Amino acid sequence: LPWLARFRGRTPLQRYTAAVIAVVFGAIAAALLRPQFDFGLLLPFLAAVAVSAWFGGFGPGLLTGALSIVTIDLVLIGPVGQIALDGDELPRFATFLLTAALIAALSGSQQRVEAALRASEQRFRSMIEVANEGVWLLDAAGATVYANRRLATILGADGEALTGRSIRDFVFPDDRAAWDARFGRAMWERLDSFEWRLRRADGGPAHVLIATSPVEDASGMTGVVALISDISERQRAARDLARANERFGLAAEAVQALIYDWEPGSDEVEWSPGLVDVVGWRPDEAPPSNAWWSAQIHPADRARLQQISLAERLAAGRFSNEYRVRHRDGHWVDVWDQGRVVHDAAGRPIRGVGSTIDISARKAAEEALHLLANAGQMLPSGLDFDKTLERAAAFPVGPLADWCAIDLLGPQGEPRQAALAIGEQGGVIAAPEPDFVRESVAAGTALIASETSPAGADVARVADAGRLLAATNASAMLALPLAARDVCFGAMILARSRDADPWSERDVALAQELARRAALAIDNARLHREAQEAEARYFGLFAGTTDGILMFDRAGRFVDANPAASRLLGYDHDRLLGAAIGDVLADADVWREASDELRRSGAWRGEFELRRKNGSAVPVEAWIDAVLLQSEVVYVAVARDMTERRALERGQEEFVAAAAHDLKNPLAAIRGQAQLLRRRLRKGESLPPERLEQGIDGIDAAASRMTGLIDELVDITRVRVGAPLDLRRAPVDLVDLARRSAEIYQRTSERHEIVVAAGREPVVGQWDSLRLERVLGNLLGNAVKYSPDGGNIVVRVERETGAAGPLAALGVTDEGVGIPAADLPSIFERFHRGGNVGAIAGTGIGLAAVRQIIEEHGGTIAAESVEGCGSTFTIRLPLAQPAAAPAESARSERA
């Protein structure tokens, strides 16, 4: 009976109880069959033996056979029985017992085989369940016959719920056509591992590796068994590795540095592509060894580095050195080499990873700043003319040149050597011919004699440089004009020996800046010497002073006055003499205090107001002293007009407040970005390149804003002292400049729409590109700032015809707050701002600088505005090339 199968392998009591029950059922069956089938009396008992042996084994089977004989003899053989245990039946019963024993033996053997099979199956299932791979048994239709727990985990489903489900339920719809083709092949052939994307129970993808094998029996192919390996983590790791390699490559490329990996044991080095940026060699051209790199280091630096043993350097863990290395073209490159040494468990160095950065520009900039800082401190520190000349000649020697001379023009324009400084390598260099100096002074530009050093736009090259260098025994020579107050009064001559490196563009630019500073210092010292000479000649004379000087007696009547005093008060000199001091004082109380002080001490210092002839008051700062003149005491009063100074002080106070506000914003942005980056670095966080770039861009933008404001201040300062701007004229397309500036300022505001209205043809003139860009940036910045509610900003560029020739017209129109009519005439004055912009930060110097730049270009600027309706600023610049720049004209006239 099927239900008896549950008792197989149970306890002995259960097995032998089942044997007795089998005999009972056999007796019942024999009693029922005896009337119809005499020969079937033993058959039910044979069946009972078979069942008992199948369920309980050999022992219960033999017991069933013995009990069957007893049952037949005692129960079934009776009055109605046809069988008796006589001699004729013994063979039959013996045969029955043998058959029962045989059945019991066979059933016991089968039971042992089945037990072994069950144990084997249990071990196999245990192995399958704990396997790290998913096992999926499918029938011929693709339905799940068996799935282990690992497969259920991969698919995110319940293991029992998988039974009967089609594998197509776990294939994405887009992949089903391809899967059906693969499954069809898997029914007939073994498929090697292939990657596939299965759909998990939650709908997400599971990236797996699948290997299949067909399952067959005697009837043929019955299904497929598939081994499933989850490779999601492996793919993710591969993607992460690829991204990490990509980020490393991008980072190495972004910093333009050499990244290297060194194995100390073999001395082999793997170079990154940055090798070509540092020393000009590609990685496939350079030997992969540290010895090759060491051979490229400057001998002096190599000796310095060799003072520290290799073992000490490797044991330090981290290293950082600055030294020079030879470039492929022969010049020396300053580099910063830093990295880390990796040690094994025993502390032995096994790897060195580092980066090498070209810091030549930084070193040159540091040296330039140091040189200029020293020059800025030392050159103007004294007003002795001869010592200033000596300092000016000595500063370039070493950093820039091996030999330097200062030549000044004599009364007839001939150059004469006024100072000379010679370095260690400059002893064999001779002075150049005077024509070399004259040509530089006459042109007003730098003049270079060299076969290798570059010549920029403002540096001319000597045609016959070879002959000049051979005559002076120098490898390069540079003449820099010395000019101040638009007058060129000499030249600074620099020379390098034949063993020195050629000048770079940065070197030439540094030399020009040093020459400009030296020229100012020399000119100041010369002015001081001339002032001393003039003081000796004109002591006591006050006719040329700009301060008003008034002399009055004890009665308070004027006895003398200089022309400045007459101009200050508006009186003729003769009309002023004899008048009383009380006639020109606006405040009598101040004069009473001054009179008392003069009687007590003979001197008074203070401020008061004078009344002009026209009745207006003028504030003055006065110094009054008692002077004994021909046995008579007179009082000398020096009065300085403070009108402009007070206005300037008010403007400067407003300017300082506005400038402080404008400078604090970019400084705060710079400081904020720097502190944020510093905090993240201190926390050990790795900065993504894009985040680092954003931080650097923010710092750069804020620094640019500060630079623009400082540049405007420099120009305003030059205007104030009467010095013209140093324009660098070159062809400039005004249309292109307008479009670029509009694009830059459009990115700073989403509330404004900046439109450039210009034709297709370029409008090109000879202008200073940087200063015109500052002009347009100032106008666009004002248009954005003074249009707080947004609106359209239109930039128009067109050609016009003027009385003097063709003009370029540039207009900027906004829809902002406008300019009050009362402020419009003064809008281009220094520190003047409209009366309706008090809540908007500003300095009041931008438009003054704009006007100065435009006028220096020979152009004009005008403003039109209606308060509350916006403003229009129109610039007109001559398109024709000027015959001579203002500075050049002044130089030629003075020459």
Side-chain angles (χ1 to χ4, degrees), residues 197 259 852:
R197 182 186 61 154
I259 310 297
Q852 177 65 18

Side-chain angles (χ1 to χ4, degrees), residues 60-84:
L62 286 179
L63 177 62
T64 301
L67 291 176
S68 297
I69 296 297
V70 173
T71 301
I72 292 172
D73 183 56
L74 298 178
V75 178
L76 296 180
I77 299 177
V80 293
Q82 300 295 322
I83 303 174

Side-chain angles (χ1 to χ4, degrees), residues 318-627:
R318 301 196 66 88
F319 56 87
S320 177
N321 296 297
E322 291 186 11
Y323 52 85
R324 290 163 292 176
V325 63
R326 186 180 295 277
H327 194 273
R328 186 172 188 173
D329 60 13
H331 76 274
W332 295 104
V333 179
D334 288 283
V335 298
W336 180 25
D337 186 7
Q338 60 176 341
R340 180 175 180 271
V341 178
V342 180
H343 300 81
D344 60 12
R348 293 185 296 269
I350 59 173
R351 188 180 184 187
V353 180
S355 64
T356 304
I357 304 174
D358 183 353
I359 59 171
S360 299
R362 192 198 77 185
K363 295 283 286 187
E366 290 176 353
E367 293 175 357
L369 289 175
H370 181 70
L371 178 63
L372 292 177
N374 288 339
Q377 292 177 357
M378 296 298 296
L379 285 175
S381 61
L383 294 177
D384 185 274
F385 185 69
D386 294 331
K387 289 184 178 180
T388 301
L389 288 174
E390 293 176 1
R391 293 194 188 108
F395 268 109
V397 175
L400 286 174
D402 298 315
W403 183 93
C404 177
I406 302 295
D407 284 17
L408 301 180
L409 298 181
Q412 304 301 323
E414 73 281 4
R416 294 182 299 180
Q417 190 177 95
L420 177 66
I422 301 175
E424 295 180 359
Q425 305 297 325
V428 297
I429 299 176
E433 300 172 354
D435 290 342
F436 180 64
V437 180
R438 290 195 189 97
E439 185 177 352
S440 175
V441 172
T445 59
L447 194 64
I448 191 169
S450 175
E451 298 178 356
T452 55
S453 297
D458 56 347
V459 180
R461 189 180 292 277
V462 176
D464 192 7
R467 184 185 60 81
L468 176 63
L469 296 177
T472 58
N473 198 30
S475 65
M477 189 159 285
L478 181 65
L480 302 163
L482 299 174
R485 295 175 293 137
D486 295 333
V487 177
C488 187
F489 56 82
M492 175 185 286
I493 313 301
L494 303 180
R496 282 194 169 180
S497 64
R498 296 194 176 276
D499 296 332
D501 293 333
W503 278 309
S504 64
E505 293 184 7
R506 186 185 298 272
D507 294 334
V508 175
L510 177 59
Q512 290 177 295
E513 178 61 26
L514 190 60
R516 280 193 286 268
R517 298 193 180 198
L520 291 176
I522 294 171
D523 187 61
N524 288 338
R526 184 174 60 179
L527 289 176
H528 179 71
R529 184 179 64 177
E530 292 174 355
Q532 288 178 325
E533 295 172 354
E535 183 180 3
R537 290 193 302 267
Y538 302 108
F539 179 76
L541 299 180
F542 58 93
T545 182
T546 58
D547 294 332
I549 300 178
L550 298 166
M551 299 179 64
F552 56 92
D553 57 15
R554 290 179 179 271
R557 294 191 174 275
F558 295 116
V559 296
D560 201 355
N562 69 342
S566 299
R567 292 191 298 270
L568 179 65
L569 296 173
Y571 289 94
D572 294 336
H573 182 267
D574 295 338
R575 179 72 181 273
L576 191 59
L577 297 181
I581 192 171
D583 299 335
V584 298
L585 283 176
D587 189 350
D589 293 336
V590 175
W591 174 242
R592 280 194 294 270
E593 296 177 3
S595 299
D596 295 338
E597 183 66 25
L598 284 173
R599 281 192 294 270
R600 286 194 304 270
S601 62
W604 181 84
R605 303 288 186 273
E607 297 180 4
F608 52 82
E609 289 187 348
L610 296 176
R611 186 185 302 109
R612 290 191 177 99
K613 182 180 179 180
N614 59 9
S616 63
V618 54
V620 297
E621 182 180 22
W623 296 263
I624 304 177
D625 293 284
V627 178

Side-chain angles (χ1 to χ4, degrees), residues 252-284:
E253 182 179 353
V255 298
Q256 294 184 343
L258 163 63
I259 310 297
Y260 61 86
D261 192 342
W262 172 44
E263 293 185 3
S266 61
D267 200 43
E268 291 186 359
V269 181
E270 181 179 351
W271 314 106
S272 75
L275 183 67
V276 69
D277 296 324
V278 177
V279 294
W281 295 91
R282 295 197 311 271
D284 58 341

Side-chain angles (χ1 to χ4, degrees), residues 2-18 54-57 60 111 115 118:
W3 63 273
L4 290 176
R6 295 186 303 166
F7 296 94
R8 289 183 301 173
R10 300 296 177 90
T11 63
L13 178 61
Q14 292 172 335
R15 290 160 50 204
Y16 285 100
T17 300
W54 171 77
F55 179 79
Q111 186 181 32
R118 285 195 302 272

Side-chain angles (χ1 to χ4, degrees), residues 11 19 49 93 101 180 318 427 450 466 469 515 582 643 670 812 868 892:
T11 63
V49 171
F93 280 99
D180 292 341
R318 301 196 66 88
S450 175
L469 296 177
T643 303
I670 292 174
V812 178
S892 62

Side-chain angles (χ1 to χ4, degrees), residues 659-673:
H661 178 272
D662 286 353
L663 288 173
K664 282 180 180 178
N665 289 336
L667 281 173
I670 292 174
R671 186 177 183 184
Q673 290 286 353

